[in-house]
Amino acid sequence: MAYNIGKIYDPEIIDLNMQCNNKMEVINHLSKLLQKAGYINDLENYINDIFYRESQGITGIGDNVAIPHGKSSSVQKVGLAIGRNKFMIPWESYDNKPVNIIFLFAVPNIKKGNEIHLYLLSEIAKKIGNEDILNKIKTANNKFELQNALFS
């Protein structure tokens, strides 16, 4: 499939030194990175679409990781913004623990969007389901180390 996470990895939409205080700040921050890099064209609409999906169910998957996602007509190209917060923040999660690693998907709201969306979610879930990979993600010192953790 053309949309595997290795092909959409983009250092421009990664921040390993975030200092956000809550979910709203995290999603705003990562969404602004997506907008600046040309992935989305309407910041407010995109954020509204993400929060609509957030209202539908839990996106904190455990082990201090959240995968907020949703499809949006504001998405110009498929992307994956990745953030690591300096400290834990409250987030609805399956293990009731806060998060500091966030993978925010940008997927267009098109017919093929569902397929792309599910495929990318599945790829990330496989990666972070591996304890060694997850530990490398949590301790990466820079974007190069993060890339190696995800794709080596």
Side-chain angles (χ1 to χ4, degrees):
M1 172 160 289
Y3 290 108
N4 71 56
I5 56 174
K7 291 186 182 191
I8 64 169
Y9 182 86
D10 181 352
E12 285 188 57
I13 54 176
I14 294 169
D15 186 348
L16 298 178
N17 299 299
M18 296 187 329
Q19 295 187 38
C20 299
N21 296 304
N22 55 49
K23 182 192 295 191
M24 174 70 84
E25 288 182 14
V26 166
I27 289 175
N28 280 326
H29 180 77
L30 292 175
S31 297
K32 286 176 184 173
L33 293 179
L34 288 165
Q35 182 184 40
K36 182 179 177 187
Y39 287 84
I40 61 173
N41 63 6
D42 184 333
L43 183 65
E44 184 177 346
N45 183 65
Y46 175 75
I47 290 171
N48 286 340
D49 289 340
I50 295 302
F51 274 102
Y52 172 75
R53 171 56 186 88
E54 284 292 306
S55 73
Q56 304 298 302
I58 292 173
T59 58
I61 60 168
D63 289 321
N64 310 117
V65 177
I67 317 177
H69 56 278
K71 295 179 297 298
S72 177
S73 60
S74 298
V75 174
Q76 301 302 293
K77 63 181 178 177
V78 174
L80 175 62
I82 303 171
R84 184 175 66 204
N85 210 49
K86 289 279 191 187
F87 44 88
M88 298 293 172
I89 56 170
W91 201 291
E92 299 81 11
S93 64
Y94 288 108
D95 64 0
N96 295 312
K97 292 182 181 174
V99 305
N100 73 327
I101 306 287
I102 301 94
F103 294 89
L104 176 62
F105 290 91
V107 178
N109 191 10
I110 58 173
K111 186 175 183 182
K112 191 170 176 129
N114 284 338
E115 180 182 335
I116 296 166
H117 191 228
L118 292 173
Y119 184 81
L120 293 174
L121 283 171
S122 170
E123 275 207 25
I124 285 294
K126 283 184 222 170
K127 297 284 184 184
I128 59 181
N130 178 312
E131 192 175 329
D132 290 335
I133 293 173
L134 181 58
N135 285 333
K136 288 177 183 177
I137 291 168
K138 288 181 175 184
T139 60
N141 291 311
N142 55 52
K143 296 173 186 182
F144 179 74
E145 286 184 12
L146 177 67
Q147 184 176 11
N148 283 340
L150 285 169
F151 310 115
S152 60

